Short mmCIF file of all heavy atoms in Angstrom, two decimals:
data_model
loop_
_atom_site.label_atom_id
_atom_site.label_comp_id
_atom_site.label_asym_id
_atom_site.label_seq_id
_atom_site.Cartn_x
_atom_site.Cartn_y
_atom_site.Cartn_z
N ARG K 40 112.16 102.46 87.59
CA ARG K 40 112.98 103.34 88.43
C ARG K 40 112.50 104.78 88.35
O ARG K 40 113.26 105.72 88.12
CB ARG K 40 114.45 103.21 88.04
CG ARG K 40 115.03 101.85 88.37
CD ARG K 40 116.38 101.64 87.72
NE ARG K 40 116.24 101.29 86.31
CZ ARG K 40 117.17 101.51 85.40
NH1 ARG K 40 118.29 102.11 85.73
NH2 ARG K 40 116.98 101.14 84.15
N LYS K 41 111.20 104.97 88.60
CA LYS K 41 110.58 106.29 88.58
C LYS K 41 110.26 106.74 90.00
O LYS K 41 109.75 105.97 90.82
CB LYS K 41 109.28 106.26 87.77
CG LYS K 41 109.44 105.76 86.34
CD LYS K 41 110.30 106.69 85.51
CE LYS K 41 110.35 106.27 84.04
NZ LYS K 41 111.16 107.17 83.21
N VAL K 42 110.50 108.00 90.29
CA VAL K 42 110.23 108.55 91.62
C VAL K 42 108.77 108.45 92.00
O VAL K 42 108.41 108.21 93.15
CB VAL K 42 110.72 110.02 91.69
CG1 VAL K 42 110.31 110.66 93.01
CG2 VAL K 42 112.23 110.09 91.53
N TRP K 43 107.87 108.63 91.02
CA TRP K 43 106.44 108.64 91.33
C TRP K 43 105.93 107.30 91.84
O TRP K 43 104.81 107.21 92.36
CB TRP K 43 105.62 109.09 90.13
CG TRP K 43 105.78 108.32 88.86
CD1 TRP K 43 106.48 108.70 87.77
CD2 TRP K 43 105.22 107.03 88.52
NE1 TRP K 43 106.41 107.75 86.77
CE2 TRP K 43 105.63 106.72 87.21
CE3 TRP K 43 104.41 106.14 89.20
CZ2 TRP K 43 105.26 105.53 86.58
CZ3 TRP K 43 104.04 104.95 88.58
CH2 TRP K 43 104.47 104.66 87.29
N ALA K 44 106.74 106.26 91.71
CA ALA K 44 106.32 104.95 92.22
C ALA K 44 106.06 105.00 93.72
O ALA K 44 105.16 104.31 94.23
CB ALA K 44 107.39 103.90 91.92
N TRP K 45 106.82 105.80 94.45
CA TRP K 45 106.67 105.86 95.91
C TRP K 45 105.37 106.50 96.36
O TRP K 45 104.62 105.90 97.14
CB TRP K 45 107.88 106.57 96.52
CG TRP K 45 109.18 105.86 96.30
CD1 TRP K 45 110.17 106.20 95.44
CD2 TRP K 45 109.62 104.65 96.93
NE1 TRP K 45 111.20 105.29 95.50
CE2 TRP K 45 110.89 104.34 96.41
CE3 TRP K 45 109.06 103.81 97.90
CZ2 TRP K 45 111.62 103.22 96.83
CZ3 TRP K 45 109.77 102.69 98.32
CH2 TRP K 45 111.03 102.41 97.78
N PRO K 46 105.02 107.73 95.92
CA PRO K 46 103.74 108.31 96.38
C PRO K 46 102.52 107.53 95.91
O PRO K 46 101.52 107.43 96.63
CB PRO K 46 103.77 109.74 95.80
CG PRO K 46 104.75 109.70 94.69
CD PRO K 46 105.78 108.69 95.10
N ALA K 86 108.30 103.71 102.38
CA ALA K 86 108.14 104.40 101.10
C ALA K 86 108.51 105.87 101.22
O ALA K 86 109.08 106.45 100.30
CB ALA K 86 106.70 104.25 100.60
N ALA K 87 108.19 106.47 102.36
CA ALA K 87 108.58 107.86 102.58
C ALA K 87 110.10 107.99 102.58
O ALA K 87 110.66 108.94 102.03
CB ALA K 87 107.99 108.37 103.90
N TYR K 88 110.76 107.00 103.19
CA TYR K 88 112.23 106.97 103.19
C TYR K 88 112.77 106.81 101.76
O TYR K 88 113.68 107.54 101.33
CB TYR K 88 112.71 105.82 104.08
CG TYR K 88 114.16 105.42 103.86
CD1 TYR K 88 115.20 106.21 104.35
CD2 TYR K 88 114.48 104.25 103.19
CE1 TYR K 88 116.53 105.84 104.15
CE2 TYR K 88 115.80 103.87 102.99
CZ TYR K 88 116.82 104.66 103.47
OH TYR K 88 118.12 104.29 103.27
N GLY K 89 112.23 105.84 101.02
CA GLY K 89 112.68 105.60 99.66
C GLY K 89 112.42 106.79 98.76
O GLY K 89 113.26 107.15 97.92
N TRP K 90 111.26 107.41 98.92
CA TRP K 90 110.91 108.59 98.13
C TRP K 90 111.92 109.71 98.37
O TRP K 90 112.41 110.35 97.43
CB TRP K 90 109.51 109.04 98.53
CG TRP K 90 108.90 110.10 97.66
CD1 TRP K 90 109.42 110.63 96.50
CD2 TRP K 90 107.64 110.74 97.87
NE1 TRP K 90 108.56 111.57 96.00
CE2 TRP K 90 107.47 111.67 96.80
CE3 TRP K 90 106.66 110.63 98.84
CZ2 TRP K 90 106.35 112.48 96.71
CZ3 TRP K 90 105.53 111.44 98.75
CH2 TRP K 90 105.37 112.34 97.69
N HIS K 91 112.27 109.91 99.63
CA HIS K 91 113.24 110.95 99.98
C HIS K 91 114.62 110.65 99.38
O HIS K 91 115.25 111.54 98.79
CB HIS K 91 113.36 111.06 101.51
CG HIS K 91 114.52 111.89 101.97
ND1 HIS K 91 114.56 113.26 101.82
CD2 HIS K 91 115.70 111.53 102.56
CE1 HIS K 91 115.70 113.72 102.30
NE2 HIS K 91 116.41 112.70 102.75
N ARG K 92 115.07 109.40 99.50
CA ARG K 92 116.40 109.05 99.00
C ARG K 92 116.48 109.15 97.48
O ARG K 92 117.47 109.63 96.94
CB ARG K 92 116.78 107.64 99.45
CG ARG K 92 117.00 107.48 100.94
CD ARG K 92 117.99 108.50 101.49
NE ARG K 92 119.30 108.42 100.92
CZ ARG K 92 120.35 107.84 101.51
NH1 ARG K 92 120.21 107.29 102.71
NH2 ARG K 92 121.54 107.82 100.93
N TRP K 93 115.44 108.69 96.79
CA TRP K 93 115.46 108.75 95.33
C TRP K 93 115.39 110.20 94.84
O TRP K 93 116.06 110.57 93.87
CB TRP K 93 114.32 107.92 94.75
CG TRP K 93 114.57 106.44 94.77
CD1 TRP K 93 115.37 105.76 95.64
CD2 TRP K 93 114.02 105.47 93.89
NE1 TRP K 93 115.34 104.42 95.37
CE2 TRP K 93 114.53 104.20 94.30
CE3 TRP K 93 113.14 105.53 92.82
CZ2 TRP K 93 114.19 103.02 93.65
CZ3 TRP K 93 112.79 104.34 92.17
CH2 TRP K 93 113.31 103.11 92.59
N ARG K 94 114.57 111.02 95.50
CA ARG K 94 114.49 112.44 95.12
C ARG K 94 115.82 113.13 95.41
O ARG K 94 116.28 113.97 94.61
CB ARG K 94 113.35 113.12 95.88
CG ARG K 94 111.97 112.83 95.32
CD ARG K 94 110.88 113.41 96.24
NE ARG K 94 111.09 114.82 96.47
CZ ARG K 94 110.60 115.79 95.69
NH1 ARG K 94 109.90 115.47 94.61
NH2 ARG K 94 110.81 117.06 95.98
N GLN K 95 116.43 112.81 96.53
CA GLN K 95 117.70 113.39 96.90
C GLN K 95 118.78 113.03 95.88
O GLN K 95 119.57 113.88 95.46
CB GLN K 95 118.10 112.90 98.29
CG GLN K 95 119.40 113.48 98.82
CD GLN K 95 119.75 112.90 100.17
OE1 GLN K 95 119.83 111.67 100.33
NE2 GLN K 95 119.94 113.76 101.16
N SER K 96 118.81 111.78 95.48
CA SER K 96 119.81 111.33 94.52
C SER K 96 119.58 111.95 93.15
O SER K 96 120.53 112.27 92.43
CB SER K 96 119.78 109.80 94.42
OG SER K 96 120.12 109.24 95.67
N ARG K 97 118.32 112.10 92.77
CA ARG K 97 118.03 112.74 91.49
C ARG K 97 118.52 114.18 91.48
O ARG K 97 119.09 114.66 90.50
CB ARG K 97 116.53 112.71 91.20
CG ARG K 97 116.16 113.31 89.84
CD ARG K 97 114.66 113.41 89.65
NE ARG K 97 114.06 114.27 90.66
CZ ARG K 97 112.76 114.52 90.73
NH1 ARG K 97 111.94 113.95 89.86
NH2 ARG K 97 112.27 115.31 91.67
N ALA K 98 118.31 114.87 92.61
CA ALA K 98 118.75 116.26 92.70
C ALA K 98 120.28 116.37 92.62
O ALA K 98 120.82 117.32 92.06
CB ALA K 98 118.26 116.88 94.00
N GLU K 99 120.96 115.36 93.17
CA GLU K 99 122.42 115.39 93.18
C GLU K 99 123.03 114.95 91.86
O GLU K 99 124.10 115.42 91.48
CB GLU K 99 122.94 114.48 94.30
CG GLU K 99 122.59 114.96 95.70
CD GLU K 99 122.99 113.95 96.76
OE1 GLU K 99 123.41 112.83 96.38
OE2 GLU K 99 122.87 114.27 97.95
N ALA K 100 122.35 114.03 91.16
CA ALA K 100 122.97 113.42 89.97
C ALA K 100 122.32 113.82 88.66
O ALA K 100 122.71 113.34 87.61
CB ALA K 100 122.95 111.90 90.11
N GLY K 101 121.31 114.65 88.71
CA GLY K 101 120.67 115.05 87.47
C GLY K 101 119.53 114.14 87.09
O GLY K 101 118.82 113.61 87.93
N ASN K 102 119.38 113.88 85.78
CA ASN K 102 118.20 113.17 85.29
C ASN K 102 118.47 111.72 84.93
O ASN K 102 117.70 111.11 84.21
CB ASN K 102 117.62 113.90 84.06
CG ASN K 102 118.60 113.92 82.90
OD1 ASN K 102 119.77 113.56 83.06
ND2 ASN K 102 118.12 114.35 81.74
N THR K 103 119.58 111.14 85.42
CA THR K 103 119.82 109.73 85.14
C THR K 103 119.03 108.85 86.09
O THR K 103 118.69 109.25 87.20
CB THR K 103 121.32 109.40 85.27
OG1 THR K 103 121.78 109.83 86.56
CG2 THR K 103 122.11 110.12 84.20
N VAL K 105 117.95 105.55 88.53
CA VAL K 105 118.58 104.83 89.62
C VAL K 105 119.39 103.67 89.06
O VAL K 105 118.96 102.99 88.13
CB VAL K 105 117.53 104.31 90.62
CG1 VAL K 105 116.54 103.38 89.97
CG2 VAL K 105 118.19 103.62 91.80
N ALA K 160 114.37 100.65 98.23
CA ALA K 160 114.86 101.97 98.59
C ALA K 160 116.37 102.05 98.49
O ALA K 160 116.93 103.08 98.10
CB ALA K 160 114.40 102.34 100.00
N PHE K 230 125.73 102.98 100.05
CA PHE K 230 124.40 103.25 99.50
C PHE K 230 124.57 103.33 98.00
O PHE K 230 125.46 104.02 97.51
CB PHE K 230 123.83 104.57 100.04
CG PHE K 230 122.40 104.78 99.63
CD1 PHE K 230 121.37 104.18 100.34
CD2 PHE K 230 122.10 105.53 98.51
CE1 PHE K 230 120.06 104.36 99.95
CE2 PHE K 230 120.79 105.70 98.13
CZ PHE K 230 119.77 105.12 98.85
N PRO K 233 121.49 105.86 93.55
CA PRO K 233 120.16 105.88 92.92
C PRO K 233 119.85 107.21 92.28
O PRO K 233 119.36 108.12 92.91
CB PRO K 233 119.22 105.60 94.09
CG PRO K 233 119.93 106.12 95.29
CD PRO K 233 121.40 106.06 94.98
N ARG K 234 120.15 107.34 91.01
CA ARG K 234 119.84 108.56 90.29
C ARG K 234 118.53 108.35 89.57
O ARG K 234 118.46 107.56 88.64
CB ARG K 234 120.97 108.89 89.31
CG ARG K 234 122.35 108.99 89.97
CD ARG K 234 123.38 109.40 88.94
NE ARG K 234 124.69 109.46 89.57
CZ ARG K 234 125.58 108.48 89.51
NH1 ARG K 234 125.29 107.36 88.89
NH2 ARG K 234 126.75 108.61 90.09
N VAL K 235 117.52 109.07 89.98
CA VAL K 235 116.17 108.79 89.51
C VAL K 235 115.65 109.94 88.66
O VAL K 235 115.88 111.11 88.98
CB VAL K 235 115.23 108.57 90.72
CG1 VAL K 235 113.86 108.14 90.25
CG2 VAL K 235 115.84 107.53 91.63
N LYS K 236 114.93 109.58 87.63
CA LYS K 236 114.28 110.61 86.83
C LYS K 236 112.80 110.31 86.76
O LYS K 236 112.37 109.17 86.86
CB LYS K 236 114.87 110.66 85.42
CG LYS K 236 114.69 109.37 84.62
CD LYS K 236 115.33 109.47 83.28
CE LYS K 236 115.19 108.15 82.50
NZ LYS K 236 115.83 108.23 81.18
N LEU K 237 112.00 111.34 86.58
CA LEU K 237 110.57 111.15 86.43
C LEU K 237 110.25 110.70 85.02
O LEU K 237 110.98 111.02 84.11
CB LEU K 237 109.84 112.46 86.73
CG LEU K 237 109.75 112.83 88.20
CD1 LEU K 237 109.22 114.23 88.35
CD2 LEU K 237 108.92 111.83 88.98
#
Side-chain angles (χ1 to χ4, degrees):
R40 293 168 281 155
K41 304 295 186 179
V42 174
W43 56 257
W45 297 106
Y88 163 75
W90 190 5
H91 168 71
R92 292 308 299 259
W93 283 26
R94 282 173 55 89
Q95 182 183 54
S96 298
R97 182 187 61 180
E99 294 173 353
N102 63 350
T103 54
V105 60
F230 187 82
R234 304 183 181 98
V235 186
K236 62 182 178 180
L237 284 171

